Amino acid sequence: MPLGIFLLISAITILSIFAIERGEYERQAAQLNARATAIASALERRANASSAYLRAGAALLSTMDDVPADDFRRFVSELRLDADYRGAEGIGWAMVVRPSEIAEFEALLAEEAVVETQFYPVFTGNQPFAVPVTYLQPDTERNRRALGYDMYSDPVRRAAMVEAERTSRPTATDAIVLQQEGESEAPGFLIYMPVFEPGAGGRTLKGFIYSPFNAEDFLQSALELEDAGSYGVSLYDDENEGGENTLLAATFDGDLDNRETATRTVTIANNPWRLAVSTREDLGLSGLSMATLIFGLLVASLLMLLVRMLTQQAQEDESALAWFEEQASIRNSLTRELNHRVKNTLANVLSIIALTRRRATDVDEFATGLDGRIRALSATHDLLTQSDWGSTPVKAVIDAELLPYAHNDDHSVEMVGPDVELAPNDALSLGLAVHELATNAAKYGALSKPGGKVSVQWRLVSEDLVRVEWLERGGPPVKQERSRGFGMDLIERIVAHELRHPVELDFDPEGVRCVLLIPVRRPSEFMIRAAKAEQKADDS
């Protein structure tokens, strides 16, 4: 009988240890996969942020006949690159140089460079043109090493340039060693965005705006968004031109053969890489299994308690797996939403640049008009960021745009209306419209002379529609004969299109009057969580 009891308890103990280890293995595998997905998403977010800056720069440089060093330096400084651009060496401009233009290019380098710089390597004539580094900001000792280097002479860089020119999209190179590294062999990469100018029969390549990256710094900057925790992270240039897997960066050294590893394909600017996230230590027998082994062999009376503990552990593992799956789904949805919002914002910026350029008579007028409208977008973006891109009050949007004029004793500003919340895109459109109306009033209307008054009133005309009325009085008489300006185009075309309602804009002699109809979209619960809550309600 004692032997039978011992064998029975031993069998139960062995089965229990097997169940615990299996559950622990699945839990750790789920955590590993969730962490790999999160880090891959962080890497792509870093690359998308860098690509967005390059797209904006390409749109600006394509409108300029030449790219002076001071203008390029001012452009980079005006970007006010924030934490989303960490890991990059900066932003550079590389112009297309024909063989007959090399002497002229070297003269430009001698005039603009702080230190003595020249074109290199020697042009061999095996390529139709050269793409040397012309400017690279910020102006640091590391970045000066790259000035004058013909990137088109390198096959890896040239392949990325050709692909970027073909697709007109930001494109990353395979693993390379940056010129900034000097004697070091630290791997890195570059992201190129082509800049075109009108030419005979279409468009011609003007050059490339690009960003160089040290791979180790790029990986560490992404891990600031998603900490690696107790895992090791490695980033590979998967099957480059030589058919090899080049290790770009890693957070630890050692052999990965005996470790559990989760891999993900990460697309960095149109170039697929491989991310490997691994456990730092070999998997062994867990503490719970050791306790089960010891006490299961010695204490038969704990059998029922042990079974109960195993059941509870299995339930917790199941809940943890479900939670990790939900979090991964939410991250993917948020990443897609972020990409959508960035594309929409860039489309708005490009439209504003095109219309402002069409209406401007000189560069100063273009820069002033563009600065004001971009700042209007920025002010409304700040409001949306404070509300986590949720609904934003109408009054807060109008307050942000009229703040420079609200406390001036020479004129009065009146804002009256109920508490109404707007969706993010509608708040952006309202902010642009109010900015244009306020700018026009400050130049020519009620805000341009003492005694003028601006009244902004809004009210709900239905459950899903709010009416906003702008009215100016006490200003100079409104000219009835006038040219059609950018502000009128922006309000009657872009804003009306975004709001899906016509805009009523009257230029009465007594003052400008504008009526906007804005949809009121009721907030709804995040779809993933809503489905989860509904499922729990059905189960109960």
Side-chain angles (χ1 to χ4, degrees):
M1 182 64 71
L3 180 59
I5 294 176
F6 178 80
L7 292 176
L8 177 62
I9 294 176
S10 299
I12 294 175
T13 301
I14 292 173
L15 291 176
S16 300
I17 291 174
F18 176 81
I20 292 173
E21 287 301 303
R22 180 180 180 128
E24 185 71 12
Y25 174 81
E26 291 178 352
R27 184 181 66 83
Q28 291 181 355
Q31 289 179 334
L32 181 63
N33 286 322
R35 183 54 53 194
T37 300
I39 295 175
S41 178
L43 287 168
E44 291 184 342
R45 290 204 303 274
R46 284 291 191 211
N48 290 339
S50 301
S51 298
Y53 282 118
L54 295 181
R55 286 181 184 273
L60 177 62
L61 298 183
S62 64
T63 64
M64 303 170 63
D65 294 334
D66 296 313
V67 185
D70 290 340
D71 290 351
F72 185 81
R73 188 181 304 109
R74 189 179 307 112
F75 160 72
V76 175
S77 64
E78 286 295 328
L79 287 178
R80 294 181 177 90
L81 302 178
D82 55 10
D84 287 338
Y85 216 71
R86 290 179 187 170
E89 300 283 343
I91 295 180
W93 164 246
M95 60 188 296
V96 171
V97 176
R98 309 291 175 184
S100 61
E101 301 170 343
I102 293 180
E104 180 180 353
F105 173 78
E106 289 186 333
L108 174 64
L109 283 182
E111 178 182 353
E112 300 292 348
V114 178
V115 297
E116 183 178 354
T117 308
Q118 61 182 2
F119 177 94
Y120 72 101
V122 177
F123 191 82
T124 61
N126 294 329
Q127 57 197 55
F129 52 79
V131 185
V133 178
T134 310
Y135 311 126
L136 185 55
Q137 292 294 325
D139 185 16
T140 63
E141 189 66 29
R142 279 175 57 84
N143 285 341
R144 289 174 185 173
R145 297 174 185 166
L147 293 178
Y149 173 68
D150 178 16
M151 296 184 289
Y152 209 75
S153 64
D154 176 57
V156 177
R157 292 174 172 86
R158 183 167 62 245
M161 292 184 196
V162 172
E163 181 64 15
E165 180 184 5
R166 185 185 68 83
T167 61
S168 298
R169 293 170 53 190
T171 302
T173 66
D174 290 332
I176 60 170
V177 176
L178 300 177
Q179 293 298 113
Q180 288 91 328
E181 299 297 344
E183 300 298 328
S184 173
E185 296 294 328
F189 63 97
L190 301 102
I191 297 180
Y192 291 106
M193 179 65 194
V195 178
F196 298 99
E197 62 182 356
R203 63 181 186 179
T204 59
L205 181 64
K206 183 177 182 180
F208 293 88
I209 185 171
Y210 74 99
S211 284
F213 295 83
N214 177 281
E216 186 73 25
D217 293 342
F218 179 75
L219 177 60
Q220 292 299 329
S221 69
L223 293 181
E224 293 177 5
L225 299 178
E226 289 292 342
D227 183 40
S230 60
Y231 300 101
V233 182
S234 301
L235 189 61
Y236 296 88
D237 180 8
D238 213 355
E239 294 186 4
N240 54 22
E241 289 186 353
E244 301 174 350
N245 296 332
T246 302
L247 178 63
L248 289 168
T251 59
F252 72 104
D253 298 325
D255 185 15
L256 301 180
D257 293 339
N258 297 324
R259 296 189 174 118
E260 292 293 330
T261 302
T263 60
R264 294 289 185 276
T265 298
V266 181
T267 301
I268 304 296
N270 206 26
N271 193 349
W273 290 352
R274 180 165 58 88
L275 174 71
V277 180
S278 307
T279 56
R280 287 184 177 271
E281 298 179 357
D282 295 335
L283 297 177
L285 200 60
S286 65
L288 181 60
S289 297
M290 290 296 298
T292 303
L293 177 62
I294 295 173
F295 289 97
L297 296 176
L298 299 178
V299 186
S301 61
L302 294 180
L303 180 60
M304 294 301 299
L305 181 60
L306 179 60
V307 172
R308 180 180 177 183
M309 182 180 62
L310 292 177
T311 303
Q312 183 178 359
Q313 179 68 34
Q315 291 174 347
E316 290 176 356
D317 289 344
E318 183 179 358
S319 299
L321 289 173
W323 186 85
F324 287 131
E325 182 179 356
E326 178 186 358
Q327 292 303 307
S329 178
I330 290 174
R331 286 192 183 93
N332 290 335
S333 298
L334 292 178
T335 299
R336 289 193 296 269
E337 177 65 16
L338 175 62
N339 290 335
H340 175 71
R341 291 193 187 279
V342 168
K343 290 179 180 177
N344 284 347
T345 301
L346 288 178
N348 287 336
V349 170
L350 292 176
S351 298
I352 290 174
I353 290 174
L355 289 176
T356 304
R357 181 184 62 186
R358 194 179 308 150
R359 298 293 184 185
T361 57
D362 54 46
V363 174
D364 290 338
E365 181 181 352
F366 170 77
T368 302
L370 184 62
D371 180 75
R373 284 154 190 141
I374 297 301
R375 288 183 186 276
L377 274 178
S378 177
T380 311
H381 267 271
D382 289 341
L383 291 175
L384 296 175
T385 301
Q386 294 171 9
S387 64
D388 293 331
W389 280 85
S391 58
T392 304
V394 172
K395 188 176 186 305
V397 177
I398 298 175
D399 271 340
E401 300 300 335
L402 291 181
L403 182 62
Y405 317 102
H407 303 292
N408 195 317
D409 296 335
D410 290 342
H411 47 256
S412 61
V413 177
E414 179 186 38
M415 291 175 281
V416 180
D419 292 335
V420 179
E421 304 280 339
L422 297 180
N425 287 342
D426 298 331
L428 286 173
S429 299
L430 175 60
L432 279 177
V434 174
H435 171 77
E436 292 299 326
L437 292 170
T439 302
N440 183 74
K443 288 182 177 179
Y444 316 109
L447 299 180
S448 66
K449 61 175 294 187
K453 178 180 179 180
V454 171
S455 174
V456 185
Q457 299 183 359
W458 62 92
R459 60 183 176 86
L460 286 169
V461 296
S462 66
E463 291 185 358
D464 56 358
L465 197 65
V466 61
R467 181 180 185 271
V468 179
E469 181 179 9
W470 171 284
L471 184 62
E472 298 180 30
R473 289 294 182 265
V478 178
K479 295 181 180 180
Q480 299 304 301
E481 297 294 333
R482 63 193 178 281
S483 60
R484 185 178 183 87
F486 170 78
M488 185 184 301
D489 282 342
L490 186 143
I491 294 175
E492 291 185 342
R493 295 180 181 177
I494 298 178
V495 173
H497 173 74
E498 292 294 328
L499 299 180
R500 296 186 179 90
H501 286 86
V503 175
E504 183 180 345
L505 186 59
D506 298 328
F507 292 90
D508 298 331
E510 298 179 358
V512 176
R513 175 177 173 271
C514 181
V515 177
L516 303 169
L517 294 177
I518 306 175
V520 179
R521 298 178 173 88
R522 300 299 178 189
S524 60
E525 188 178 7
F526 189 49
M527 291 303 294
I528 295 177
R529 295 193 178 100
K532 193 78 174 180
E534 182 179 352
Q535 181 180 358
K536 290 182 178 179
D538 294 339
D539 294 341
S540 60

